[in-house]
């Protein structure tokens, strides 16, 4: 993947979204030392090993900081916790004109930044204009403003966005708004890490960051919904997920995520621990190098030439027994996948049909025959004197990726494809995939409720340069037919017609196979019920706490003796005492998804 891929997840989390991310290639301490706040009733401690590139909302492409920024900066419009519908953010109301090419947002009066300065429409104009005018400032979310003609502030509480063409997605979602009075004074805002003296508008503000040790958030007393009951959220770094499990059992942390089904069982019947199995917004996939090119058409990377042939990519999918892989690796904690839009977004998810193929080795062999790859004496196919041998990058610290490699290697050998697993660390894998230096690797993203963003990063225009600079791309994919479907759905105001166009685009991507989606992982989460309760899930029915499209998960949390009589939890019936615990995408926590896992976008 690219930098895009890195976002909503990270190299390790990409694998299954249920694995722990490595913060850097360097070794981490088993656990960062506890701070003097660790025992505080109003300090929530979260175990993590999430990658951090920076906390700059204009440029950050990793899952952990993207997720944290959801708590630090408000959008104009949020996705609600009930069913992902649009709800108030900085704007208390909004309207589109009859033709859909002009949107007017009314900013809530009287809001303040965490430093006490007033929030106004001018902050929104500043934020959006930076992304529109400076490509470096649009690294993370630039595709969301490509259709903007202008952004204006007629007065302090009004924002008018004029579009180049009508669009269905609300242009106020997914873009964190920053304070102009702070960012306009930065010498080079695109290169600013934004990890100190942070001023925000969300429920929490980044207070401190110590690489490979801790991330600390403080409650924002000026948040327009009111100051959260949890004063401090503290992310503490751990070397591995087993250490996180032990920390949760011992009461050294309060919330854990990113564990395997096996680790979940290890927490069975643990005292003072509650668990949640939620429908996530993630997918896990194999990224297949289709041949990387810059937007100008200049080829780069080391991908195997064979993978430029769609028949070879399709054969790989047919050679993998998805059902067995899912059941053996994820047990009951993942569902069948069709595309990069998870089934949690039922409206946009590509429904299963006879166009979604199943395991069929004979059909795979036929495709390889048609592509000119003939079986050699050792069973591995050859063409023009070269063997069909592919590199599979896997994270050495991620058991799920190791398992995926163990299963698919003999399956693909059966159809004549040699797989050579190359274990490495997450940083190295991220760097290599960003530069197209791979054949196949395990990836994953956290997808937003509206498919607009995830579709946009699969267009030809969203490809970065050979160094990974510029826009975000999911897998270096480029197909003019897909681009045309993307443009049509973008401007289709009739929701039913747009839904059909989205499905067509997803099917086109599926047929081209630049990615082989493996499953949609369940998100399994655990917390110390003797310490905190009152979490909010998204969606309300069967949803998750971490890795949300918003800040609802921890916003309503409170010390256990203050929330619901100390019994805590979210919507009735969502907390499942299955006696085991899993959680996904470290931090919340996550998500990128954001993008690569998703990196997310998160």
């Amino acid at each position: 993947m690219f930098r895009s891929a890195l976002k909503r997840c990270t190299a390790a989390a990409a694998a299954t979204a249920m694995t722990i991310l490595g913060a850097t290639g360097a070794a981490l301490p088993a656990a960062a030392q506890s701070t003097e706040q660790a025992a505080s009733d109003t300090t929530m401690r979260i175990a993590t090993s999430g990658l951090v590139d920076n906390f700059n909302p204009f440029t950050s492409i990793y899952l952990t900081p993207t997720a944290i920024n959801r708590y630090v900066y408000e959008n104009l419009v949020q996705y609600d916790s009930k069913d992902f519908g649009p709800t108030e953010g900085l704007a208390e109301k909004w309207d589109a004109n009859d033709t859909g090419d002009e949107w007017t947002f009314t900013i809530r009066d009287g809001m303040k930044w965490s430093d006490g300065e007033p929030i106004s429409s001018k902050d929104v104009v500043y934020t959006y204009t930076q992304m529109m005018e400076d490509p470096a400032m649009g690294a993370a979310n630039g595709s969301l403003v490509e259709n903007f003609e202008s952004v204006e502030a007629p007065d302090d509480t009004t924002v008018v966005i004029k579009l180049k063409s009508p669009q269905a997605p609300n242009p106020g979602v997914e873009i964190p708004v920053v304070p102009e009075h702070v960012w306009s004074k930065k010498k080079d805002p695109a290169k600013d890490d934004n990890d100190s003296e942070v001023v925000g508008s969300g429920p929490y503000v980044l207070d401190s960051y110590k690489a490979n040790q801790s991330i600390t958030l403080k409650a924002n007393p000026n948040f327009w919904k009111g100051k959260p009951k949890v004063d401090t959220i503290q992310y503490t770094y751990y070397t591995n997920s087993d250490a996180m499990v032990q920390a949760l059992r011992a009461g050294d942390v309060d919330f854990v995520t990113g564990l395997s089904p096996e680790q979940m069982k290890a927490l069975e019947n643990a005292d003072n621990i509650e668990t949640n199995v939620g429908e996530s917004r993630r997918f896990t996939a194999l990224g297949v190098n289709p041949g990387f090119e810059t937007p100008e058409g200049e080829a780069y990377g080391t991908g195997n030439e064979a993978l430029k042939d769609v028949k070879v990519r399709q054969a790989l999918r047919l050679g993998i027994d998805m059902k067995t892989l899912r059941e053996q690796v994820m047990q009951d904690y993942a569902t069948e996948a069709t595309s990069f839009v998870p089934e949690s977004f039922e409206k946009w998810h590509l429904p299963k049909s006879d166009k979604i193929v199943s395991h069929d080795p004979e059909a795979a062999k036929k495709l390889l025959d048609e592509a000119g790859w003939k079986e050699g004496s050792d069973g591995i196919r050859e063409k023009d004197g070269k063997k069909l041998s592919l590199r599979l990058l896997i994270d050495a610290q991620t058991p799920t990726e190791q398992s995926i490699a163990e299963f698919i290697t003999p399956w693909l050998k059966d159809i004549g494809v040699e797989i050579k697993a190359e274990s490495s660390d997450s940083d190295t894998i991220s760097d290599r995939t960003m530069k197209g230096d791979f054949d196949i690797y395990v990836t994953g993203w956290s997808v937003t409720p509206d498919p607009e963003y995830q579709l946009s990063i699969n267009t030809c225009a969203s490809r970065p340069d050979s160094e990974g600079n510029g826009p975000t791309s999911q897998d270096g994919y480029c197909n003019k037919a897909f681009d045309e479907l993307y443009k049509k759905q973008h401007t289709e105001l009739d929701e039913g017609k747009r839904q059909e166009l989205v499905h067509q685009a997803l099917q086109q991507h599926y047929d081209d196979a630049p990615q082989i989606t493996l499953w949609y992982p369940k998100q399994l989460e655990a917390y110390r019920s003797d310490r905190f309760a009152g979490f909010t899930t998204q969606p309300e029915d069967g949803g998750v706490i971490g890795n949300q499209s918003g800040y609802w998960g921890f916003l309503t949390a409170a010390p256990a003796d203050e929330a619901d009589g100390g019994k805590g939890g979210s919507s009735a019936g969502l907390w499942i005492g299955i006696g085991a615990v899993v959680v996904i995408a470290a931090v919340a926590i996550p998500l990128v998804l954001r993008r690569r896992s998703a990196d997310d976008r998160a």
Side-chain angles (χ1 to χ4, degrees):
M1 299 182 93
F2 289 118
R3 56 195 296 151
S4 72
L6 292 174
K7 196 159 200 159
R8 311 298 180 152
C9 61
T10 67
T16 65
M18 297 191 65
T19 51
I20 299 301
L21 311 180
T24 69
L28 300 179
Q33 292 184 347
S34 300
T35 69
E36 59 184 10
Q37 299 172 326
S40 168
D41 290 340
T42 58
T43 295
M44 183 184 297
R45 301 156 302 170
I46 297 172
T48 186
S49 55
L51 284 164
V52 171
D53 48 354
N54 61 66
F55 292 93
N56 186 328
F58 293 102
T59 63
S60 178
I61 59 174
Y62 285 178
L63 183 63
T64 293
T66 297
I68 287 177
N69 278 339
R70 291 183 185 275
Y71 282 85
V72 177
Y73 298 102
E74 266 280 20
N75 305 330
L76 268 179
V77 179
Q78 285 281 355
Y79 291 116
D80 72 21
S81 60
K82 183 178 181 180
D83 59 6
F84 297 109
T87 192
E88 296 176 275
L90 293 180
E92 58 183 353
K93 61 181 180 180
W94 51 90
D95 295 290
N97 64 2
D98 292 340
T99 55
D101 58 2
E102 183 174 305
W103 291 67
T104 301
F105 298 83
T106 301
I107 305 297
R108 184 179 297 97
D109 196 17
M111 292 185 296
K112 295 181 180 180
W113 292 99
S114 57
D115 64 356
E117 291 295 312
I119 297 174
S120 79
S121 56
K122 294 181 177 61
D123 296 304
V124 181
V125 172
Y126 171 80
T127 300
Y128 285 21
T129 300
Q130 296 305 301
M131 297 167 60
M132 293 164 63
E133 296 182 351
D134 184 352
M137 295 289 273
N141 298 304
S143 65
L144 297 178
V145 299
E146 285 182 354
N147 191 38
F148 286 22
E149 184 68 43
S150 65
V151 182
E152 301 172 352
D155 55 55
D156 286 345
T157 60
T158 305
V159 174
V160 177
I161 300 177
K162 294 182 180 180
L163 305 172
K164 299 174 184 177
S165 60
Q167 73 175 52
N170 188 314
V173 300
E174 282 301 307
I175 297 176
V177 175
V178 304
E180 179 183 16
H181 70 280
V182 173
W183 283 79
S184 62
K185 296 177 181 177
K186 293 179 182 288
K187 184 177 180 180
D188 190 347
K191 295 183 179 179
D192 194 295
D193 286 344
N194 194 41
D195 57 8
S196 63
E197 299 181 1
V198 176
V199 175
S201 57
Y204 288 91
V205 176
L206 178 65
D207 182 64
S208 67
Y209 169 59
K210 297 179 180 179
N212 301 341
Q213 296 183 47
S214 65
I215 305 168
T216 302
L217 310 181
K218 292 289 188 180
N220 177 9
N222 294 331
F223 181 50
W224 67 272
K225 284 180 176 285
K227 181 182 177 182
K229 292 182 179 180
V230 175
D231 291 332
T232 304
I233 295 179
Q234 186 176 76
Y235 298 96
T236 301
Y237 278 81
Y238 282 78
T239 305
N240 58 60
S241 54
D242 287 336
M244 294 184 188
V245 172
Q246 294 306 314
L248 184 70
R249 292 174 65 95
D252 293 332
V253 297
D254 304 309
F255 194 94
V256 184
T257 186
L259 311 180
S260 69
E262 289 74 21
Q263 290 166 331
M264 176 176 174
K265 291 179 173 60
L267 289 172
E268 188 171 1
N269 300 320
D271 293 337
N272 299 314
I273 292 176
E274 292 286 345
T275 62
N276 179 48
V277 178
E279 190 172 19
S280 79
R281 59 189 183 92
R282 293 194 59 77
F283 68 83
T284 297
L286 295 176
V288 181
N289 190 335
F292 278 35
E293 293 183 350
T294 66
E296 294 74 34
E298 179 185 354
Y300 67 94
T302 64
N304 193 306
E305 288 290 317
L307 294 176
K308 292 182 178 181
D309 190 329
V310 66
K311 289 185 177 181
V312 174
R313 301 196 299 269
Q314 291 173 341
L316 296 179
R317 178 191 283 130
L318 286 165
I320 297 173
D321 186 343
M322 300 291 188
K323 185 174 185 294
T324 297
L325 183 67
R326 183 176 68 251
E327 291 175 348
Q328 291 297 314
V329 177
M330 299 301 292
Q331 300 177 33
D332 296 326
Y333 301 117
T335 56
E336 183 178 4
T338 60
S339 72
F340 58 71
V341 174
E343 61 185 356
S344 52
F345 305 130
E346 184 178 0
K347 182 191 307 179
W348 309 114
H349 169 67
L350 180 65
K352 188 174 181 180
S353 68
D354 56 8
K355 295 180 180 179
I356 305 300
V357 300
S358 59
H359 183 220
D360 191 339
E362 294 307 312
K365 293 176 182 178
K366 182 178 179 181
L367 283 173
L368 293 174
D369 286 339
E370 293 173 357
W373 291 93
K374 304 304 179 182
E375 187 173 329
S377 58
D378 58 356
I380 302 302
R381 291 175 178 265
E382 300 177 353
K383 182 180 180 180
D384 299 329
K386 295 182 180 179
K387 288 185 176 294
L388 187 47
S389 180
L390 304 175
R391 301 163 295 167
L392 171 62
L393 291 181
I394 53 177
D395 193 300
Q397 299 300 315
T398 305
T400 301
E401 296 193 15
Q402 303 288 332
S403 295
I404 290 172
E406 290 171 3
F407 277 100
I408 71 171
T409 297
W411 288 336
L412 294 181
K413 183 177 180 181
D414 285 345
I415 66 171
V417 180
E418 181 180 49
I419 296 295
K420 293 184 177 179
E422 297 182 1
S423 295
S424 188
D425 62 89
S426 58
D427 272 358
T428 299
I429 294 173
S430 297
D431 183 64
R432 288 183 60 178
T433 55
M434 184 174 67
K435 296 177 181 178
D437 180 18
F438 72 99
D439 293 331
I440 309 173
Y441 78 116
V442 185
T443 183
W445 289 63
S446 291
V447 180
T448 53
D450 190 288
E452 172 71 14
Y453 179 82
Q454 209 70 25
L455 290 168
S456 74
I457 60 174
N458 279 281
T459 61
C460 297
S462 197
R463 295 172 295 171
D465 63 23
S466 59
E467 296 300 318
N469 300 314
T472 289
S473 176
Q474 183 167 292
D475 281 303
Y477 175 63
C478 175
N479 184 314
K480 297 299 183 182
F482 179 93
D483 284 9
E484 187 61 29
L485 288 167
Y486 166 75
K487 292 176 183 177
K488 288 181 178 179
Q489 70 80 33
H490 179 78
T491 59
E492 180 53 69
L493 302 183
D494 181 281
E495 185 171 88
K497 293 179 180 178
R498 183 183 177 221
Q499 181 181 28
E500 178 57 32
L501 289 167
V502 169
H503 289 170
Q504 290 178 31
L506 293 176
Q507 186 66 54
Q508 180 69 61
H509 183 273
Y510 179 92
D511 293 341
D512 289 339
Q515 182 182 84
I516 300 172
T517 314
L518 301 177
W519 56 64
Y520 303 131
K522 294 292 183 182
Q523 182 160 310
L524 309 164
E525 306 169 306
Y527 72 103
R528 292 289 306 197
S529 57
D530 57 337
R531 291 267 297 154
F532 294 99
F535 299 94
T536 294
T537 55
Q538 185 189 42
E540 186 177 90
D541 183 13
V544 301
I545 296 173
N547 196 20
Q548 295 184 355
S549 291
Y551 46 53
W552 313 105
F554 302 134
L555 176 62
T556 56
D561 58 358
E562 296 181 25
D564 299 327
K567 302 202 185 253
S570 315
S571 306
L574 289 180
W575 289 106
I576 303 172
I578 51 180
V581 153
V582 184
V583 257
I584 191 163
V587 129
I589 200 175
L591 357 331
V592 258
L593 169 95
R594 194 199 205 158
R595 310 154 190 188
R596 184 179 186 229
S597 223
D599 147 79
D600 177 329
R601 189 179 163 83

